[in-house]
Amino acid sequence: MIGQNTFRYSLIAAVIIAILTLTGIFTIFDRRDVIAEVLTQSLALFFTAIGGTAYLVAQQSSLTHPRDRILNAVIGAGIAVSVVIGLILLSSSVNLSFVFPQFRDLTETSLIFRQENPIIGVVELFTVSLFLGAAVGIVASLAPRTQSILFAAIGLTAMIGLLQNDIRRVMTIADAVSLFAVFALSFEAMRRSNVQPLVQRILFGLAIGIGSALILVLIANSGALASGGWLRPSNKIPLILNLAVTGQLLSFVAVFGVIGMAGAVISRTPLILHNAAWSLLIGFLALGVISWQDEMNLFATVIIFALISGGYSLLPQIGRNAEARFLLLPHRQRDSTRLLVVIFALGVMAFVPLFAGLSISNTINLTMLYITMGIGLSVMIGYAGLLDLGYVASYAIGAYTIGLLTTPSMLTCGGLSPDQISEQGLNIATTCTGVMTFFEGLPFAVIVSALTGMLLGVPVLRLRGDYLAIVTLGFGEIIQSLVRSSTFAPLLGGPQGIIQIPLPTVDLSIFNPTWNFTLQQSTEVYYLYIFAVGFAAIVVLRLINTRLGRAWRAMREDEDVAEAMGIHLVWTKLRAFGISSAFAGLGGAVFGATYQSIFPGSFTLAVSINVLSLIIIGGMGSIPGVVLGAVILIGLPEILRELQDYRLLAFGVLLVVTMLLRPEGLLPPQAPRLSERASHSPAPTGD
Amino acid sequence: MASAAQNPPSKGLIGGLMERFRNDPVQIVLYLCGGIVFAVMLLAIVSNLLSGQVTLEDIVQSMIFGLAQGSIYALIALGYTLVYGVLLMINFAHGEVFMAGAYIAFFAIYAMEQSGFLAQQPLLALLITIGVGMIASISIAVLLERIAYRPLRNAPRLVPLITAIGASIVIRELFIRLFGARPRTYPEVSLFAFPQFFRLECSVVDGVETCLGIDLIRGAYDITLLGMELRVRPVYFIVFILALILMAMLWFVVQRTKVGRAMRAVAEDKKTAALMGVNVDRVIVITFVLGAALAGAAAVLFALYNQRVMPEMGFTPGIKAFTAAVLGGIGNVPGAMAGGLLLGIIESVAPSMLGLPTQLEGVISFGVLVLILIFRPTGIFGEVLAKKRA
Amino acid sequence: MSSDLLLDVQSVSKRFGGLLAVGGVDLRIQRGEIISLIGPNGAGKTTFFNCITGFYTPEKGRVIFNGREITGMRPDQVNRAGLARTYQNIRLFSNLTVIENILVGMHSRLRGTMWGALFGLPTHQREEQAALDRAMELLTYTGLEGKGDYLASNLAYGFQRRLEIARALASQPHLLLLDEPTAGMNPLETEEMMHFIRRLRDERGLTIFLIEHDVKLVMTISDRVNVMDYGRKIAEGTPQAVQRDPKVIEAYLGAGAVEYGAVSEETEA
């Protein structure tokens, strides 16, 4: 039986696929492989599109029998692939480059499996697509949970495949397995035991960690770590295990001690922390496998797929048990557990640059810059309900303030521009006495951004959402025009911007004369970004469940009633403007100092759109949402360079789709369970 | 919001202001800032006029251009206003609807140029181009309404707005990816007219002098009017007149036809209109169609004198037209027309009068927007739907 | 002037365009009274409420509350002065939890500043804890115990009404304005609400001013009843006196079928 919407859905999907094909997407994505020698990005994209169509068709509610699902999925795949085949043949015969400049000859891509004869390739493509359709039809008949495990595993495996070049040197298999094993050992031991008090569990975990470390020392020293030894299959030096043979025994034992403690603590934690910890370790294993195979080949793909699907099917149940045990703990221990997990997380983050290397650190830094700004904009949009499209203005103000304060400029040279100084033959060093270091300038940058944010807020305070959006958009454009204009060029540098901004230095020479660090490389600057994110997150977390935070959210829900409940709308809004601008300014200042130069071109509308998209897709008003949004929208495209061209398009589509299907975003904020915190808390209600 | 502000007490200007200040110290700051801005502007204008940096000729010449530019803004602004009137939402993607009209119409006029049809029948070809532009804009707008806006009709306010922003990015980026980001140039069109009045472009064949007349599209002529020496392009007047005709047609549709009555009913109260047998969905689609048709026509006219079209061309006119709509009072159809023309003129005259450097021209329209929203948020002609706010 | 006078409204007028919504209405409320305001649909009752609570600025007249003039004050200032209200069509902060709704209600009674929250000052934490504890008390008092962590939008209708009152109570008002507290309730719920309103006065010493459609409810619990029609006050007095007033009977003649459960639709809200 053919479903009533089969043709409709297939045709809509086919049109979308055709439009994408015409943008030349299959040529652009044809350069790299997802699975080495097996699957190019183009083909992966193509199969995703065909599979997606087939799945959409197979999911129609009118289809009940698996046979029908398979039949319809095959039809859907067939229709979609036919359109692409038509375009492939068209592209090899007609030159459409005047209308569609990016649409090239598709017979030169992997879409026809590099066949000499395009006809054979096309037939092959058609056949493979039909089989894919059938497979999707079968999958669509499985239980929903199985389906979601399957999709998650496919998606994450593909993601790892896409990132293979950037992550294959992160962690060796030996390190990954030993970390995983010690964590699992300690977790399992504490799960089985009835030891409840946190301190005791930590001590047990520590003991397990140290014990394992000593055994590992023996193994490592037995020659297993020698080149070609069984702990070094790919001839890469394990970062952690190598500590054991290079005489840094103490650090080695410490690492495993901490891992052991982590396992012990995680055995009684809320579900989400538990799953996050295990996902991290599974991620380590996946990284180890990639490093071992040195590329995402078929073998690595199978192993990683198995790891992820296995983890994803087991974790929720184990996690629920861990949460159940957690809920049995006394109130105070629960709080300290949470605190400990935060400390562990910070510890893990402190070591990230060690593994990640320069390029990944750079990506992480950019992601964190956007997290900082996202948290700020979250205050405006997610908490206070004020749609700000000119967020880049505050970002620019922060960057320019730090630029002006830390370089010779009109601000620091007694009102003389550098040009005037050289014209008048003055000495820069003696004239520009006001030049500050980064950390001296930072508070000013943040305060100036906050104040200008509030000032800009004044005229738009009483505007409702849509007007506010357009006026703030205008502010962004005005700032852009101002920094670009020649009128202000002596101060702001015009199109050339401000260059040679000094790097941030951390001067601790009062403790030790050698402790004077310049944060130069991305692995060092990383810590500055961590600081920025942490600062923003802590401020927001502290405010959100207090009087001001509640006033914001009340105002978002119903302005009139909020006012009638005694909330001073003007002040409450101005504070939102101020705080959110402060974070943008913080981000801008850190950005300016770490990239050492700022140009008007860095402060376009695209910045505002990026931040807006990431908080909306991640989940407005939730910090985990902001983090997730930034990772997906900023981090990923940074690594997947092919995506750059499609980045804004994808953002637009994601914005629309999110609003249509899940307006609260991927990780919406959780309502606080305040009744637990009351002094004489009544018995919990059970759910 | 502050309902009191919408119903200002009738205590005279001073009394009213005092009342507002007492309850709202922020107003003082606002009025102070606004006053300073006005004073500075006034000073700049006076000094520029007195010092002779700006001549009357410059101003008149800019105004003529401003009239054409303003007509374009007015046509786009009508789309914002119509949709706002019916749905109470800002169709953020309207600038992209405008762009789509100009861009798709480019392919039509290019094909006609290649086939020689443009040279043979310039008038017909231009009308076809305008038609294609309108159809392209209408298609985009209808798709937009169907896919992005209709499912969100009852969602909280921010949701359709964010969707509209997303949709505007999607359309723009899709055009960039499909057709490339670089600008495309409209072919040169000459449309000669009125040889009886203007004896220009003449040639003598067999002793008989035949004249083509003035070139309505490409021509630029020096004329002397009231002692001022001006260089005038007829295309500006053509754009203005065509825009007036289109606006008159819209006015007729809204005021005199059944569809227009249904639109006004839906704008007043969707539920009641539906009870009265008005097909609300259909009326909303028609509203989008009307707005898009005007935007599409405006787009082709804009492209005729600007020549360059590119996927990013919709953003700035879109924002400026929105400003125009706010200037005239959003939801108010004649207001949008007047607001558009006014903004076009302000924008073309102000830089020279204020002595602003060219890079800061973009600031003007936003400045106007901010000033309007501070001092008269309901626009010059008032929001028709002011009561439905809050 | 007796110090027992809590609210003194002196010939307040408000018009919309040409329409006179409230025309020169006088009203006095003594401390500890339950006063009600009735009238047919569109009589201007809610507009009158809005004039008192600062939503609208009346064109003429004065509102004196607790010896202080509050005419033309913003709603938040009015709330600070000790007036709290509920709404005819329930207006809760629907994506906030029940407790959070109540905590927002306490806004004007809390002193906590942004800096106190940022630095986690002990005074600030004590205040927040005390506020939370008081919110829990209010939950119990209004019969919402155990529902504190629900989102307001997930509460059943009757509980939403109670939450709205709890939120109003949280601001420790002297005068509570209830706009049709029993709209949309069944007889049993109405009965409960009646008792509850009386308890508020008897146990908490609150003065209560309510708009009602349900004439029966009004007549049983009110100390005095005011009647409005076409924006003007046409009668005032004890329930018995008002019931016999010919002007009132005339005003209600057409609307004689006012039964409870009928959700009114006053357009000016």
Side-chain angles (χ1 to χ4, degrees):
Chain A
M1 191 192 93
I2 292 172
Q4 50 185 355
N5 283 327
T6 301
F7 289 107
R8 194 163 148 245
Y9 288 172
S10 316
L11 285 174
I12 292 176
V15 168
I16 294 173
I17 296 172
I19 290 176
L20 276 181
T21 314
L22 287 174
T23 64
I25 197 166
F26 290 119
T27 312
I28 296 172
F29 280 76
D30 209 32
R31 287 175 220 131
R32 285 205 280 170
D33 288 345
V34 178
I35 304 173
E37 312 288 327
V38 178
L39 189 66
T40 61
Q41 287 185 3
S42 263
L43 266 180
L45 188 75
F46 173 78
F47 288 140
T48 312
I50 299 292
T53 311
Y55 187 73
L56 192 73
V57 171
Q59 278 288 306
Q60 289 173 81
S61 54
S62 60
L63 304 175
T64 45
H65 198 277
R67 195 189 54 223
D68 288 337
R69 287 188 197 270
I70 295 170
L71 173 69
N72 283 278
V74 171
I75 293 174
I79 292 176
V81 73
S82 305
V83 172
V84 177
I85 286 174
L87 287 169
I88 291 175
L89 297 178
L90 185 75
S91 71
S92 66
S93 49
V94 185
N95 183 0
L96 290 174
S97 67
F98 178 74
V99 181
F100 303 112
Q102 280 112 285
F103 182 53
R104 303 275 154 72
D105 186 352
L106 289 175
T107 54
E108 287 165 14
T109 65
S110 59
L111 276 193
I112 56 162
F113 303 102
R114 312 254 178 238
Q115 294 287 356
E116 287 291 317
N117 185 343
I119 302 300
I120 298 178
V122 162
V123 172
E124 228 175 283
L125 187 69
F126 190 73
T127 323
V128 172
S129 299
L130 293 192
F131 276 110
L132 178 69
V136 169
I138 296 171
V139 170
S141 313
L142 299 173
R145 166 114 181 98
T146 321
Q147 288 186 31
S148 70
I149 293 173
L150 215 54
F151 288 140
I154 292 175
L156 287 171
T157 311
M159 197 62 73
I160 291 172
L162 289 170
L163 304 181
Q164 52 180 307
N165 283 331
D166 299 273
I167 58 177
R168 63 183 172 176
R169 294 184 201 288
V170 171
M171 185 177 272
T172 64
I173 183 85
D175 276 345
V177 171
S178 41
L179 288 177
F180 186 90
V182 173
F183 183 87
L185 187 68
S186 162
F187 179 91
E188 187 60 18
M190 285 303 109
R191 185 176 76 80
R192 285 166 186 273
S193 79
N194 289 321
V195 181
Q196 280 213 345
L198 189 62
V199 179
Q200 287 184 34
R201 273 191 294 136
I202 291 175
L203 289 178
F204 271 113
L206 190 64
I208 292 171
I210 293 175
S212 320
L214 295 178
I215 297 170
L216 284 166
V217 168
L218 291 180
I219 297 175
N221 278 317
S222 69
L225 259 189
S227 179
W230 59 274
L231 274 182
R232 267 178 79 181
S234 56
N235 241 357
K236 286 178 196 141
I237 302 168
L239 203 64
I240 298 175
L241 284 184
N242 211 40
L243 297 173
V245 287
T246 53
Q248 286 157 297
L249 212 55
L250 203 62
S251 318
F252 182 74
V253 174
V255 168
F256 283 95
V258 169
I259 287 288
M261 288 198 289
V265 172
I266 293 292
S267 67
R268 281 177 170 76
T269 44
L271 183 71
I272 184 159
L273 296 178
H274 168 274
N275 288 0
W278 275 109
S279 307
L280 188 70
L281 283 153
I282 293 174
F284 283 176
L285 284 185
L287 290 173
V289 172
I290 286 251
S291 144
W292 173 27
Q293 296 294 315
D294 209 32
E295 64 180 9
M296 189 72 166
N297 54 22
L298 210 51
F299 177 73
T301 311
V302 171
I303 301 229
I304 290 174
F305 181 81
L307 272 175
I308 295 173
S309 49
Y312 191 60
S313 39
L314 294 177
L315 274 187
Q317 188 50 46
I318 305 177
R320 265 193 292 281
N321 293 340
E323 184 164 72
R325 289 191 294 272
F326 173 70
L327 290 176
L328 290 177
L329 295 177
H331 201 285
R332 273 190 189 286
Q333 289 214 9
R334 279 191 255 164
D335 280 351
S336 24
T337 304
R338 286 202 188 95
L339 186 69
L340 264 178
V341 174
V342 170
I343 293 172
F344 282 135
L346 285 177
V348 170
M349 286 200 290
F351 284 107
V352 165
L354 200 62
F355 290 98
L358 289 180
S359 133
I360 294 190
S361 294
N362 210 4
T363 308
I364 295 176
N365 291 348
L366 194 69
T367 311
M368 288 199 290
L369 170 67
Y370 275 91
I371 294 176
T372 312
M373 293 205 285
I375 291 174
L377 194 60
S378 230
V379 169
M380 279 284 272
I381 303 183
Y383 297 147
L386 304 162
L387 185 55
D388 183 351
L389 294 184
Y391 200 52
V392 67
S394 308
Y395 175 61
I397 289 168
Y400 270 91
T401 310
I402 204 80
L404 290 176
L405 287 177
T406 58
T407 58
S409 67
M410 278 172 85
L411 232 62
T412 51
C413 305
L416 293 174
S417 74
D419 286 345
Q420 287 169 320
I421 294 173
S422 53
E423 273 166 27
Q424 297 175 13
L426 294 168
N427 185 343
I428 293 229
T430 52
T431 320
C432 303
T433 48
V435 176
M436 297 180 177
T437 66
F438 171 77
F439 284 103
E440 285 164 3
L442 187 62
F444 289 99
V446 173
I447 290 169
V448 168
S449 307
L451 288 181
T452 37
M454 288 168 80
L455 202 68
L456 292 183
V458 169
V460 296
L461 275 175
R462 58 213 61 231
L463 304 180
R464 45 171 202 269
D466 25 24
Y467 277 178
L468 185 81
I470 301 238
V471 175
T472 47
L473 181 78
F475 285 146
E477 297 296 300
I478 288 178
I479 292 280
Q480 163 88 295
S481 307
L482 289 183
V483 295
R484 215 179 264 284
S485 79
S486 53
T487 319
F488 295 99
L491 178 64
L492 304 175
Q496 280 80 43
I498 300 177
I499 49 170
Q500 292 179 330
I501 300 170
L503 286 162
T505 51
V506 183
D507 189 0
L508 297 176
S509 49
I510 40 169
F511 300 113
N512 183 332
T514 57
W515 285 3
N516 189 354
F517 312 103
T518 299
L519 305 178
Q520 188 166 12
Q521 310 235 291
S522 59
T523 47
E524 297 158 2
V525 173
Y526 171 90
Y527 297 101
L528 192 60
Y529 282 102
I530 284 273
F531 160 76
V533 169
F535 178 76
I538 287 171
V539 167
V540 169
L541 285 176
R542 297 219 85 144
L543 288 184
I544 194 56
N545 282 323
T546 60
R547 185 165 171 261
L548 180 62
R550 285 191 300 264
W552 283 335
R553 285 178 293 149
M555 202 168 67
R556 173 193 72 196
E557 298 288 318
D558 191 329
E559 218 166 70
D560 292 335
V561 180
E563 194 176 22
M565 277 347 306
I567 292 168
H568 194 298
L569 293 183
V570 171
W571 275 116
T572 313
K573 284 186 181 180
L574 277 183
R575 291 216 171 105
F577 271 99
I579 288 179
S580 103
S581 307
F583 295 157
L586 175 67
V590 174
F591 165 83
T594 52
Y595 286 79
Q596 290 192 274
S597 50
I598 45 185
F599 307 104
S602 315
F603 305 102
T604 57
L605 177 66
V607 175
S608 304
I609 299 278
N610 285 347
V611 184
L612 177 75
S613 309
L614 78 89
I615 67 166
I616 284 170
I617 290 159
M620 273 186 280
S622 108
I623 290 180
V626 172
V627 174
L628 182 69
V631 168
I632 297 177
L633 266 59
I634 308 296
L636 271 187
E638 204 56 35
I639 297 180
L640 288 175
R641 278 165 290 279
E642 291 85 356
L643 250 178
Q644 290 288 17
D645 288 343
Y646 286 87
R647 183 180 186 152
L648 277 175
L649 179 59
F651 285 9
V653 171
L654 281 174
L655 276 183
V656 175
V657 171
T658 307
M659 284 298 113
L660 289 176
L661 302 181
R662 200 179 158 88
E664 70 276 21
L666 292 174
L667 291 177
Q670 307 253 313
R673 300 180 68 86
L674 290 172
S675 60
E676 288 171 6
R677 282 194 231 153
S679 304
H680 309 288
S681 137
T685 49
D687 48 350
Chain B
M1 274 185 62
S3 319
Q6 287 152 35
N7 306 293
S10 50
K11 289 180 181 171
L13 185 64
I14 303 297
L17 281 183
M18 291 310 294
E19 183 95 344
R20 284 169 87 165
F21 286 165
R22 193 167 63 78
N23 286 323
D24 204 346
V26 174
Q27 288 277 352
I28 303 174
V29 180
L30 278 185
Y31 274 72
L32 216 63
C33 294
I36 293 171
V37 171
F38 271 125
V40 168
M41 281 185 349
L42 211 63
L43 205 70
I45 293 172
V46 169
S47 76
N48 275 321
L49 282 179
L50 288 183
S51 66
Q53 279 178 352
V54 190
T55 61
L56 201 57
E57 283 158 22
D58 292 339
I59 292 175
V60 172
Q61 199 150 314
S62 324
M63 273 175 90
I64 293 173
F65 172 72
L67 215 54
Q69 194 83 352
S71 318
I72 303 288
Y73 293 157
L75 287 175
I76 310 174
L78 283 169
Y80 281 111
T81 273
L82 286 173
V83 169
Y84 192 89
V86 172
L87 281 184
L88 288 183
M89 73 166 273
I90 294 175
N91 179 9
F92 215 89
H94 194 57
E96 270 58 47
V97 169
F98 165 83
M99 176 277 291
Y103 207 95
I104 301 289
F106 163 79
F107 292 116
I109 197 170
Y110 182 79
M112 289 189 284
E113 188 211 19
Q114 294 293 312
S115 66
F117 184 72
L118 185 64
Q120 289 163 10
Q121 293 283 351
L123 183 62
L124 191 57
L126 283 179
L127 288 179
I128 291 175
T129 311
I130 292 178
V132 170
M134 288 166 95
I135 290 169
S137 290
I138 290 171
S139 320
I140 297 276
V142 169
L143 275 178
L144 196 64
E145 196 275 332
R146 186 69 195 83
I147 298 172
Y149 298 158
R150 193 178 296 178
L152 298 174
R153 200 124 333 132
N154 297 314
R157 214 173 180 123
L158 278 189
V159 170
L161 186 61
I162 293 169
T163 313
I165 294 169
S168 115
I169 301 171
V170 170
I171 299 172
R172 181 166 64 237
E173 287 296 315
L174 201 58
F175 269 67
I176 291 180
R177 299 264 62 86
L178 272 178
F179 304 120
R182 77 190 162 80
R184 295 174 186 256
T185 312
Y186 262 51
E188 306 275 351
V189 197
S190 288
L191 182 61
F192 291 100
F194 309 121
Q196 355 12 352
F197 304 119
F198 304 98
R199 303 202 64 78
L200 296 162
E201 301 281 333
C202 298
S203 54
V204 182
V205 181
D206 300 335
V208 184
E209 190 188 39
T210 49
C211 294
L212 289 169
I214 57 168
D215 185 346
L216 291 181
I217 309 293
R218 283 177 62 202
Y221 304 97
D222 292 316
I223 58 167
T224 310
L225 188 74
L226 302 173
M228 293 182 289
E229 287 183 13
L230 304 172
R231 187 167 181 79
V232 176
R233 288 186 65 182
V235 69
Y236 294 149
F237 292 99
I238 298 295
V239 168
F240 179 59
I241 290 164
L242 279 179
L244 282 188
I245 294 172
L246 285 168
M247 288 191 262
M249 282 161 67
L250 178 82
W251 181 244
F252 179 80
V253 169
V254 172
Q255 293 297 328
R256 290 288 137 89
T257 62
K258 213 175 145 199
V259 171
R261 218 164 28 243
M263 274 171 70
R264 281 179 289 142
V266 172
E268 201 61 47
D269 186 340
K270 274 205 244 342
K271 270 190 204 140
T272 315
L275 286 176
M276 295 297 178
V278 175
N279 182 344
V280 174
D281 277 345
R282 196 169 139 260
V283 168
I284 290 172
V285 171
I286 291 173
T287 311
F288 272 87
V289 167
L290 286 177
L294 295 179
V300 176
L301 295 178
F302 184 74
L304 278 184
Y305 68 86
N306 262 4
Q307 297 218 311
R308 280 150 52 96
V309 291
M310 53 184 158
E312 276 159 345
M313 70 184 278
F315 179 75
T316 313
I319 295 292
K320 287 181 179 165
F322 174 79
T323 306
V326 173
L327 191 62
I330 197 150
N332 181 334
V333 171
M337 302 179 191
L341 291 174
L342 192 61
L343 185 73
I345 291 173
I346 292 177
E347 211 188 26
S348 55
V349 173
S352 55
M353 296 235 299
L354 295 174
L356 279 182
T358 43
Q359 292 140 318
L360 291 182
E361 272 175 23
V363 175
I364 294 170
S365 59
F366 283 121
V368 170
L369 181 62
V370 173
L371 287 178
I372 285 287
L373 287 174
I374 292 172
F375 293 106
R376 199 170 161 83
T378 52
I380 297 174
F381 301 95
E383 273 184 38
V384 171
L385 299 155
K387 256 168 72 183
K388 286 179 91 173
R389 299 173 57 174
Chain C
M1 199 169 282
S2 126
S3 65
D4 272 356
L5 188 63
L6 184 62
L7 181 76
D8 184 5
V9 182
Q10 300 170 357
S11 64
V12 156
S13 294
K14 174 78 197 167
R15 46 173 78 239
F16 293 106
L19 180 82
L20 186 71
V22 176
V25 173
D26 288 292
L27 190 103
R28 290 172 157 220
I29 299 179
Q30 311 287 331
R31 256 175 238 280
E33 270 187 318
I34 297 181
I35 295 273
S36 51
L37 178 63
I38 60 171
N41 268 340
K45 305 183 297 278
T46 299
T47 309
F48 184 61
F49 249 37
N50 285 340
C51 287
I52 299 174
T53 50
F55 274 68
Y56 298 147
T57 307
E59 274 120 47
K60 287 201 199 96
R62 288 162 26 122
V63 184
I64 292 158
F65 177 72
N66 218 355
R68 241 174 99 195
E69 172 148 9
I70 59 166
T71 333
M73 277 191 180
R74 289 191 314 269
D76 59 302
Q77 295 168 316
V78 173
N79 178 270
R80 230 164 280 254
L83 252 116
R85 67 171 292 185
T86 66
Y87 301 83
Q88 186 183 341
N89 39 351
I90 303 175
R91 289 172 79 173
L92 291 169
F93 305 119
S94 37
N95 288 315
L96 268 57
T97 65
V98 169
I99 295 183
E100 285 180 309
N101 266 279
I102 297 177
L103 288 173
V104 172
M106 286 178 201
H107 188 90
S108 56
R109 299 290 163 242
L110 298 179
R111 298 269 75 83
T113 61
M114 185 172 90
W115 305 109
L118 278 182
F119 298 117
L121 299 182
T123 48
H124 180 268
Q125 288 181 344
R126 272 199 298 276
E127 189 191 65
E128 281 287 317
Q129 188 64 48
L132 185 58
D133 294 344
R134 255 194 59 222
M136 299 304 284
E137 273 171 41
L138 273 172
L139 276 187
T140 316
Y141 187 75
T142 48
L144 289 165
E145 61 268 73
K147 299 194 165 47
D149 291 328
Y150 288 27
L151 287 187
S153 51
N154 292 347
L155 285 183
Y157 184 80
F159 288 123
Q160 292 199 351
R161 281 264 175 233
R162 282 160 186 264
L163 175 55
E164 225 188 10
I165 295 178
R167 183 179 66 184
L169 290 178
S171 68
Q172 297 173 349
H174 302 294
L175 175 62
L176 185 61
L177 290 89
L178 303 175
D179 196 344
E180 301 208 16
T182 63
M185 286 187 166
N186 64 34
L188 190 71
E189 289 171 325
T190 307
E191 187 81 7
E192 275 176 22
M193 182 56 78
M194 222 162 78
H195 284 295
F196 182 61
I197 292 173
R198 217 178 253 138
R199 267 178 64 205
L200 286 178
R201 192 255 310 261
D202 298 344
E203 295 174 16
R204 303 218 149 204
L206 274 172
T207 312
I208 290 162
F209 179 23
L210 65 145
I211 293 184
E212 242 322 320
H213 236 95
D214 186 341
V215 179
K216 189 173 138 230
L217 171 92
V218 167
M219 297 304 169
T220 33
I221 70 168
S222 309
D223 298 319
R224 278 185 303 131
V225 177
N226 292 270
V227 189
M228 271 180 83
D229 194 20
Y230 291 110
R232 300 202 177 269
K233 195 164 99 176
I234 56 170
E236 179 182 1
T238 60
Q240 294 74 21
V242 165
Q243 255 169 328
R244 284 192 298 269
D245 192 316
K247 273 191 282 188
V248 177
I249 296 168
E250 194 192 314
Y252 266 97
L253 206 60
V258 175
E259 308 239 336
Y260 50 86
V263 182
S264 71
E265 291 175 330
E266 286 194 30
T267 44
E268 76 264 35

